[in-house]
Amino acid sequence: MNSPDNSPALAPNDLSQRFVAWVRAAAPFIHAFRGKTFVLGFGGEVAAGQLAEKLAYDCNLLAALGVRLVLVHGARPQIEAEMARRGLTPRYHNGLRVTDADALECVKAAVAVTRIEVEALLSQGLPNTPMAGSYMRVTGGNFVTAKPVGVVDGVDYGFTGAVRKVIAEEIAADLDQQNVVLMSSLGVSPAGELFNMSMEAVAEAVAIALKAEKLIYLCDAPGLLDAKGGLIEAITADDAEAMLKAGEGMTEDLDLYLPCAIRAVRQGVGRAHLIDRDKDGGLLLEFFTPLGVGTVLTRDPLFRLREATIEDVGALGAVIAPMEADGTLVRRSRERLEAEIERFTVVEYDGVLVGCAALYPFIDERAAEMACVAVVPEHRRAGLGEMLLKRMESRARAIGVERLFVLTTRTSDWFRERGFRQAPPEDLPRQKREMYDVSRRSKVFMKTL
């Protein structure tokens, strides 16, 4: 029996087990995000798109899980349609709309209608829907003070504005009341003039002012892509800026959103995320699964190497347990891990332990063993093995080791490709040679440092 998409159908018991496993895997993320502030920016294409209702469902779920949620919507296609209806021609300079008096009238009409429609989506509560029984309190206000962009390159932007100030304490007060704050890309100056601002700039400024945990943009791409078209799951602000300057893999949205994301993480926002606006459930997949679906930007690398401490024993055991179960690694008791914890280097991904390796020196023979190398399956293509190997080599050199060796049953090719050569067990240091388990038939590989 196959499912409608022609993939093999799962037995009810399999479905139940997968559901339970997913909920348990999502639990750490739920705990981590409760009480944190997320700022979500999306264009008018999203507000009017087929997935707008499902986006409302997902925002409702985030709010129900305790996320402090600020939504910033755009209305570019709606403004274009209103201008076309009135026979006006849009004008842009450097990707920013030139807003004269006639265009401003179109902006006001389009933004007002779009906001009402988004608010209506967030106010659903019909039975047999994900929002059944819920009530999202949606608020808004004059939280952003605007200033004119002015004249740039000889072009007068008219009523196009930039963010002058975000009244963060008022937004925070609404969030404290468990409200969802919905903001438009309009701002008022102290003189009472109305200005049209870009959605991405408003979202950036609000995220910075609130010291948000996350700034999220829904965009016209899966995220940032590498030269081969593969998704870049994580990138630093510096590397993202280099891609932007080189024009690598940019789309219309990325050209606009990426500079905002870079500035935001450099000014204190914890993470910035670029997620495909056409990915159903993209927010849930990005935040409640280990790999996510978009690109996350950080000021510093998400992967971090450090020496293990006694507090890591439990997480360390969980990382190596599957490889012990299938025979790849020799079993280590918790007591042994505790006793040898200072030999381990671990690698974290966004604060979660995802890999490890240990160094066992034989100083008298200027040799050391690299052992217990493990990386969780989700991150085995992220180059963590290389990072751990380099750290082990550095640690070995620091204590005068000249030969680094490994015993392996399944990863011979990986070590060969990194300069190790196969050696007979007789070449092992005497103490290790006496401990060699013939029954495992492990292959010995050595590398001269």
Side-chain angles (χ1 to χ4, degrees):
M1 178 179 176
N2 287 344
S3 61
D5 63 357
N6 293 322
S7 60
L10 293 173
N13 191 48
D14 291 336
L15 288 172
S16 298
Q17 290 176 345
R18 283 197 179 188
F19 173 77
V20 170
W22 181 87
V23 173
R24 288 173 177 165
F29 301 106
I30 295 171
H31 299 318
F33 297 149
R34 183 180 295 115
K36 299 298 175 61
T37 301
F38 288 15
V39 177
L40 172 62
F42 56 93
E45 299 87 353
V46 175
Q50 295 181 346
L51 295 179
E53 186 173 53
K54 292 183 178 179
L55 176 63
Y57 294 161
D58 295 348
C59 289
N60 176 269
L61 179 57
L62 288 173
L65 292 173
V67 173
R68 295 157 58 92
L69 199 56
V70 180
L71 308 179
V72 184
H73 75 84
R76 179 173 288 194
Q78 291 85 345
I79 295 170
E80 302 288 283
E82 182 64 19
M83 293 187 73
R85 190 182 70 81
R86 300 189 188 194
L88 302 174
T89 301
R91 292 177 57 210
Y92 290 90
H93 182 68
N94 292 333
L96 196 60
R97 185 186 300 278
V98 176
T99 312
D100 59 20
D102 290 335
L104 182 62
E105 294 304 310
C106 298
V107 169
K108 290 192 290 184
V111 169
V113 170
T114 303
R115 179 192 166 84
I116 292 170
E117 291 176 343
V118 171
E119 191 168 314
L121 288 171
L122 297 171
S123 303
Q124 300 175 80
L126 290 175
N128 301 318
T129 72
M131 293 177 70
S134 70
Y135 175 66
M136 288 179 69
R137 294 188 299 273
V138 181
T139 64
N142 57 339
F143 299 135
V144 177
T145 303
K147 61 182 179 181
V149 170
V151 179
V152 180
D153 298 330
V155 176
D156 187 350
Y157 278 92
F159 292 98
T160 297
V163 176
R164 178 175 179 175
K165 181 182 179 183
V166 175
I167 308 174
E169 59 271 20
E170 294 297 333
I171 301 175
D174 270 12
L175 295 174
D176 290 341
Q177 298 298 315
Q178 299 182 7
N179 297 324
V180 172
V181 177
L182 176 61
M183 303 181 66
S184 302
S185 53
L186 288 175
V188 180
S189 74
E193 290 183 299
L194 190 65
F195 287 95
N196 172 37
M197 299 179 291
S198 70
M199 174 277 294
E200 57 273 14
V202 174
E204 173 199 344
V206 170
I208 293 171
L210 291 174
K211 298 180 174 59
E213 177 73 14
K214 295 185 182 294
L215 168 62
I216 308 130
Y217 289 115
L218 302 183
C219 59
D220 61 355
L224 294 177
L225 305 179
D226 60 26
K228 296 181 179 179
L231 178 67
I232 299 173
E233 297 172 3
I235 191 170
T236 64
D238 290 347
D239 289 341
E241 185 174 45
M243 287 187 66
L244 183 64
K245 289 179 177 178
E248 297 174 359
M250 292 298 107
T251 64
E252 182 179 4
D253 281 357
L254 292 177
D255 267 331
L256 297 173
Y257 301 167
L258 187 55
C260 298
I262 293 169
R263 288 192 295 267
V265 297
R266 284 176 172 168
Q267 295 184 61
V269 174
R271 305 280 186 268
H273 298 258
L274 302 169
I275 302 175
D276 190 346
R277 69 189 184 201
D278 295 323
K279 182 74 173 180
D280 186 13
L283 291 178
L284 304 184
L285 292 168
E286 178 72 355
F287 300 127
F288 299 108
T289 60
L291 284 181
V293 293
T295 297
V296 56
L297 278 80
T298 58
R299 187 182 62 181
D300 302 311
L302 274 180
F303 291 109
R304 184 170 76 94
L305 280 174
R306 62 174 175 81
E307 306 315 315
T309 67
I310 195 67
E311 288 78 15
D312 295 315
V313 169
L316 193 58
V319 168
I320 66 177
M323 298 180 72
E324 290 176 337
D326 68 14
T328 303
L329 295 178
V330 175
R331 290 187 181 275
R332 286 171 168 79
S333 66
R334 183 181 179 92
E335 291 74 18
R336 182 179 174 188
L337 287 176
E338 290 177 353
E340 298 178 349
I341 194 66
E342 76 280 356
R343 301 192 184 280
F344 280 84
T345 293
V346 296
V347 57
E348 292 179 326
Y349 177 79
D350 206 11
V352 178
L353 199 152
V354 296
C356 64
L359 189 72
Y360 293 86
F362 299 85
I363 297 300
D364 291 344
E365 300 185 52
R366 295 186 177 276
E369 179 185 10
M370 178 180 175
C372 202
V373 182
V375 175
V376 298
E378 297 90 341
H379 296 291
R380 285 180 183 165
R381 295 187 178 182
L384 302 190
E386 294 274 8
M387 292 171 61
L388 288 164
L389 173 58
K390 289 179 180 178
R391 176 61 69 89
M392 293 296 101
E393 290 178 353
S394 177
R395 287 181 60 183
R397 289 191 184 97
I399 57 176
V401 167
E402 297 176 352
R403 293 185 301 153
L404 186 66
F405 68 89
V406 297
L407 275 66
T408 180
T409 57
R410 303 191 182 185
T411 54
S412 302
D413 288 347
W414 192 89
F415 287 106
R416 277 199 185 97
E417 291 166 4
R418 285 151 184 84
F420 286 79
R421 59 172 181 81
Q422 189 168 356
E426 291 75 21
D427 285 358
L428 292 170
R430 179 184 57 79
Q431 185 180 354
K432 184 65 181 179
R433 189 166 62 246
E434 293 172 353
M435 299 166 56
Y436 181 77
D437 185 352
V438 178
S439 65
R440 277 182 60 84
R441 300 182 65 185
S442 300
K443 294 181 179 180
V444 178
F445 285 85
M446 289 195 175
K447 182 177 183 179
T448 301
L449 300 180

